[in-house]
């Protein structure tokens, strides 16, 4: 394999790892947390 094939495979692997890590992390609640001084209480 040449270096371009290895570089492309590395980029794909890195991108896949980032997506999997973001999916595994718990999601934050949307909306106001009442501590942001936005005026919503």
């Amino acid at each position: 394999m040449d270096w371009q094939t290895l570089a492309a495979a590395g980029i794909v692997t890195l991108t896949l790892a980032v997506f999997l890590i973001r999916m595994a992390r718990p999601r934050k609640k949307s909306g106001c947390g009442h501590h942001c001084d936005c005026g919503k209480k």
Side-chain angles (χ1 to χ4, degrees), residues 2-16:
D2 59 345
W3 70 271
Q4 290 177 337
T5 305
L6 291 175
I11 291 170
V12 169
T13 302
L14 180 65
T15 304
L16 182 62

Side-chain angles (χ1 to χ4, degrees), residues 27-39:
R27 295 182 185 214
K28 294 181 180 179
K29 292 181 180 179
S30 62
C32 182
H34 303 293
H35 300 289
C36 64
D37 295 331
C38 68

